Amino acid sequence: MASSSSLKPIFSSSLTSSPSPHSPQKPSSLLSFLHSTTSTPISLKLSSNPPHSNSHPRSKSFAVTNVVLKTDTSPETTSVPSNYSQDLGPPLTKPTILVSEKLGEKGLEVLREFGHVECLYDLSPDQLCSKISLCDALIVRSGTKVTRQVFEASNGRLKVVGRAGVGIDNVDLQAATEFGCLVVNAPTANTVAAAEHGIALLAAMARNVAQADASIKAGKWQRNKYVGVSLVGKTLAVMGFGKVGSEVARRAKGLGMNVIAHDPYAPADRARALGVDLVSFDQAIGTADFISLHMPLTPATSKVFNDETFAKMKKGVRIVNVARGGVIDEDALVKALDSGIVAQAALDVFTKEPPPKDSRLVQHENVTVTPHLGASTKEAQEGVAIEIAEAVVGALKGELSATAVNAPMVPPEVLSELSPYVSLAEKLGRLAVQLVAGGSGIKSVKVVYKSARDPDDLDTRLLRAMITKGIIEPISSSFVNLVNADFTAKEKGLRISEERIVVDSSPELPIDSIQVQISNVESKFASGISDNGDISIEGKVKYGTPHLTSVGSFDVDVSLEGNLILCRQVDQPGMIGQVGNILGEHNVNVSFMSVGRTVLRKKAIMAIGVDEKPDKEALKKIGEISAIEEFVFLKL
Ligand SMILES: NC(=O)C1=CN([C@@H]2O[C@H](COP(=O)(O)OP(=O)(O)OC[C@H]3O[C@@H](n4cnc5c(N)ncnc54)[C@H](O)[C@@H]3O)[C@@H](O)[C@H]2O)C=CC1
Ligand SMILES: O=C(O)C(=O)COP(=O)(O)O
């Protein structure tokens, strides 16, 4: 007999639980993929569905084709960019993009074609926090601190932070990830500008250009005081052999310098190709006449140049920093300059920008300074502006960004191939969790992907994120998207393990089937438990549509559209008719029916796809059919 709990949607009560501080309100029923808020959620675009699936019947075709920004009916609604969404449905809102630092005009043009752009420079932290809840995207350079408070104040609306440049040390990435906000940067367009500035500082420092310039302007003519040192034949240590570092190395080689580099992560062959030896940190700083810094500011590189490391340097070393001020302990540098360990320093970046007016470092006579000008060429600023504008617009459209900093980068061809499986993954997660009996804490989920392809060829991050979303969203108030899926699972103590099994099927298809198993829980539907004691369901994509193909140890075949009723019954004639009649009497449209059985005339599972949720009376009548042993209604 059907249990009484089968008569109500499973977990309905938990849907009303209060939102977590990290989680704004839940989105409507579309698959929100990157981000969603009450105002402008981003969702996977369903091929022929209107954006608001609450108010429109679901289309039969459920292939996920793209990710789009979902509709918004807030008062700021203006016109809709032509490429914003081709879907039908309520009017869409132009996203609001806040630009908080000077951005090249060409980039602004790209942004204006897509959204409502507000350029507000020099905002105080409080002003930024009060503005941000009205913004879908924020574009910054190095001067804006995008702190946890900014994400909190955004109230879930901020979907993407674009850093118009390389260094993202001014953005709290952990907070961005927790809030499901994508961070993108523009990593390539200012590389040459930064490298050229490094070389400019190197040469200017060696020949006292800045000091001599100030002296002559002060009416002096001090030719003996400003005798410099030559670069040719000297050893330059490039610390951080990435994009900028390697361009500096290339140029320094052209100046006749002997270049060594230290970078724990750089491939040796890339260095060798430029005639550069990769060496240890101590070797680099111990042998160099000049040291040029090009590593990111991270917890590992913070103040890595300090009393201890200055003491290991060759006396009279000269240091250039166009990376980040924070990699140097500035007090230690002043001491090293005073003691003569460091003969000169040329600094474009500072721990605090702008540095205090009375900074001993800035005022030091052997120090040359510029106000963070590394990326400031016309060419670089134009390039960076276009690069970041395109990245931000792409992210707002829901495309996966090639310059995402806090989300996996999924190449477009992989994304398009996996699209139908993305939908399948979320639905399987959603179904599996609804089979769990209330009160069972879900701790461990295993996902088994069967595929004819080599397991290494299958990038499952996207699928795992969607399964996580399917499992977590029905039972909590959290949003889950590609950015925060792993974080949210961890935060909720949910361990998701994955197994890839090679099967003999068509290698044309990336995946043959996906199975979701939930261990150590009780089920509201005993037949959903497989022989190993786990809740287990499996699905496939058939004709581009997600299908449920097994429940527990029963095979079924039902398209995952609308909602689903699963019944376990005695395998006997007339069952389909009896249930079908009840649903018909209650005006519930049946889209699919499938019966799977273990032993002929013993037990069977009937899976019934229904467009509408049957009312209580209909569910009660189904439960009263004597041959039905248990049943469950599942919302997709
Ligand atoms: N002053 C300015 O206006 C500009 C400053 N920059 C800064 O320059 C730096 C480098 O930028 P890109 O070359 O574009 O970045 P990148 O990511 O291409 O290169 C950074 C390199 O540092 C290496 N690295 C990481 N940890 C390290 C460590 N502990 N020791 C040595 N190397 C380490 C990485 O392996 C990588 O190869 C960044 O800090 C960036 O913010 C970049 C552009 C303009
Ligand atoms: O790209 C970087 O990392 C830079 O430091 C450039 O900073 P900016 O955009 O000029 O404030």
Side-chain angles (χ1 to χ4, degrees):
M1 267 290 128
S3 68
S4 59
S5 60
S6 305
L7 297 175
K8 55 183 177 7
I10 293 165
F11 289 118
S12 59
S13 58
S14 55
L15 285 170
T16 58
S17 62
S18 59
S20 83
H22 292 168
S23 310
Q25 280 174 270
K26 288 173 74 69
S28 61
S29 60
L30 278 182
L31 307 173
S32 63
F33 175 59
L34 261 180
H35 200 76
S36 23
T37 68
T38 43
S39 53
T40 52
I42 290 180
S43 303
L44 282 171
K45 184 165 99 184
L46 307 179
S47 57
S48 52
N49 277 359
H52 278 162
S53 64
N54 284 350
S55 50
H56 300 269
R58 281 181 187 272
S59 141
K60 290 273 181 201
S61 158
F62 208 72
V64 180
T65 55
N66 199 354
V67 184
V68 294
L69 192 69
K70 234 176 64 181
T71 55
D72 181 314
T73 48
S74 71
E76 310 117 278
T77 301
T78 52
S79 65
V80 182
S82 58
N83 59 350
Y84 194 30
S85 169
Q86 304 304 322
D87 285 340
L88 302 172
L92 301 175
T93 298
K94 257 187 162 183
T96 295
I97 303 165
L98 175 61
V99 179
S100 69
E101 289 175 75
K102 182 109 182 67
L103 193 70
E105 194 50 42
K106 290 245 163 69
L108 290 173
E109 281 167 22
V110 172
L111 295 174
R112 285 191 192 112
E113 268 174 36
F114 181 73
H116 167 64
V117 180
E118 277 197 63
C119 296
L120 296 175
Y121 306 150
D122 300 322
L123 289 175
S124 69
D126 283 350
Q127 286 169 324
L128 177 60
C129 283
S130 58
K131 185 76 198 163
I132 204 69
S133 63
L134 303 172
C135 303
D136 303 284
L138 168 65
I139 295 185
V140 301
R141 287 177 58 186
S142 59
T144 308
K145 303 277 171 269
V146 191
T147 58
R148 179 172 288 275
Q149 287 73 30
V150 174
F151 293 104
E152 276 164 3
S154 113
N155 208 17
R157 178 152 171 184
L158 188 64
K159 292 167 206 68
V160 53
V161 173
R163 174 15 179 148
V166 184
I168 30 84
D169 44 284
N170 52 323
V171 179
D172 185 335
L173 278 187
Q174 178 61 32
T177 303
E178 289 176 27
F179 283 81
C181 179
L182 187 70
V183 179
V184 290
N185 70 350
T188 58
N190 67 21
T191 300
V192 167
E196 287 179 349
H197 197 59
I199 294 292
L201 287 179
L202 182 77
M205 172 178 68
R207 302 306 295 269
N208 302 305
V209 171
Q211 291 85 345
D213 175 77
S215 151
I216 204 167
K217 283 178 176 150
K220 299 176 190 161
W221 187 255
Q222 297 176 293
R223 295 184 65 217
N224 292 337
K225 183 169 182 187
Y226 294 120
V227 174
V229 290
S230 194
L231 298 177
V232 70
K234 298 285 168 54
T235 297
L236 170 70
V238 171
M239 308 300 285
F241 197 71
K243 294 183 293 298
V244 179
S246 49
E247 288 303 324
V248 165
R250 191 195 304 278
R251 284 159 177 75
K253 292 288 278 184
L255 295 171
M257 299 186 84
N258 167 39
V259 182
I260 55 175
H262 168 70
D263 187 325
Y265 315 106
D269 54 346
R270 189 154 55 81
R272 261 197 309 275
L274 286 179
V276 173
D277 281 339
L278 281 182
V279 298
S280 70
F281 183 88
D282 282 359
Q283 221 180 329
I285 62 168
T287 49
D289 303 300
F290 292 84
I291 299 177
S292 194
L293 311 186
H294 302 289
M295 65 255 281
L297 176 60
T298 64
T301 62
S302 173
K303 295 193 177 174
V304 71
F305 298 95
N306 51 39
D307 286 329
E308 200 187 318
T309 51
F310 283 127
K312 292 179 182 169
M313 292 179 188
K314 212 162 140 180
K315 192 163 167 55
V317 68
R318 290 174 164 81
I319 298 179
V320 176
N321 188 6
V322 288
R324 281 296 176 270
V327 302
I328 296 180
D329 175 339
E330 292 180 341
D331 293 336
L333 178 56
V334 171
K335 277 189 259 167
L337 283 158
D338 287 344
S339 70
I341 290 180
V342 176
Q344 290 183 298
L347 310 171
D348 183 46
V349 284
F350 305 89
T351 304
K352 184 171 182 303
E353 294 183 358
K357 283 205 177 81
D358 58 354
S359 156
R360 279 202 59 210
L361 183 62
V362 171
Q363 300 300 337
H364 203 287
E365 63 167 344
N366 294 335
V367 173
T368 302
V369 286
T370 50
H372 202 145
L373 291 181
S376 295
T377 62
K378 285 185 180 157
E379 296 83 353
Q381 279 314 304
E382 194 150 291
V384 163
I386 293 169
E387 196 177 356
I388 201 62
E390 286 174 350
V392 166
V393 167
L396 285 171
K397 283 180 183 166
E399 291 159 11
L400 288 179
S401 171
T403 60
V405 176
N406 64 341
M409 296 175 221
V410 182
E413 60 282 6
V414 175
L415 182 65
S416 100
E417 190 178 45
L418 287 184
S419 286
Y421 301 91
V422 166
S423 172
L424 173 67
E426 188 189 4
K427 284 167 183 248
L428 289 176
R430 209 167 267 279
L431 281 190
V433 79
Q434 290 182 72
L435 293 176
V436 177
S440 312
I442 306 173
K443 289 264 174 295
S444 178
V445 175
K446 182 170 174 188
V447 185
V448 181
Y449 307 95
K450 289 184 190 155
S451 166
R453 294 195 187 164
D454 187 298
D456 289 342
D457 283 350
L458 187 60
D459 184 344
T460 58
R461 291 167 302 174
L462 192 52
L463 301 168
R464 187 177 68 233
M466 296 313 278
I467 290 168
T468 307
K469 177 179 173 65
I471 290 174
I472 291 178
E473 285 194 346
I475 56 169
S476 83
S477 53
S478 303
F479 285 123
V480 183
N481 63 20
L482 190 55
V483 175
N484 67 3
D486 287 344
F487 169 81
T488 311
K490 202 166 160 212
E491 196 194 32
K492 297 196 178 295
L494 183 65
R495 207 178 82 79
I496 303 194
S497 61
E498 293 176 293
E499 188 184 342
R500 294 161 214 205
I501 296 179
V502 181
V503 290
D504 192 13
S505 65
S506 166
E508 298 279 289
L509 301 173
I511 296 168
D512 180 61
S513 69
I514 303 176
Q515 190 180 54
V516 176
Q517 303 171 4
I518 305 184
S519 321
N520 301 322
V521 286
E522 298 196 354
S523 178
K524 290 211 157 182
F525 186 65
S527 317
I529 305 263
S530 67
D531 296 342
N532 66 5
D534 296 341
I535 289 182
S536 172
I537 58 170
E538 187 170 304
K540 296 187 178 206
V541 170
K542 295 186 173 186
Y543 316 108
T545 308
H547 278 238
L548 180 69
T549 54
S550 99
V551 175
S553 42
F554 292 86
D555 289 337
V556 294
D557 187 6
V558 60
S559 165
L560 289 173
E561 301 175 56
N563 303 309
L564 199 61
I565 299 171
L566 292 177
C567 305
R568 188 188 69 211
Q569 67 210 37
V570 178
D571 183 27
Q572 64 182 37
M575 295 304 299
I576 291 181
Q578 283 188 58
V579 177
N581 279 346
I582 294 171
L583 293 171
E585 279 161 18
H586 288 261
N587 204 22
V588 175
N589 198 32
V590 173
S591 53
F592 273 91
M593 268 201 178
S594 148
V595 178
R597 57 195 175 188
T598 44
V599 183
L600 187 65
R601 294 275 171 157
K602 283 241 161 102
K603 278 192 198 323
I605 278 212
M606 182 158 55
I608 307 161
V610 285
D611 290 343
E612 299 83 20
K613 183 186 172 192
D615 58 22
K616 280 189 177 174
E617 184 60 24
L619 291 170
K620 186 162 170 277
K621 282 186 190 161
I622 293 172
E624 283 165 1
I625 300 172
S626 60
I628 289 189
E629 295 169 339
E630 62 169 349
F631 79 99
V632 67
F633 172 76
L634 304 167
K635 270 177 89 125
L636 283 175

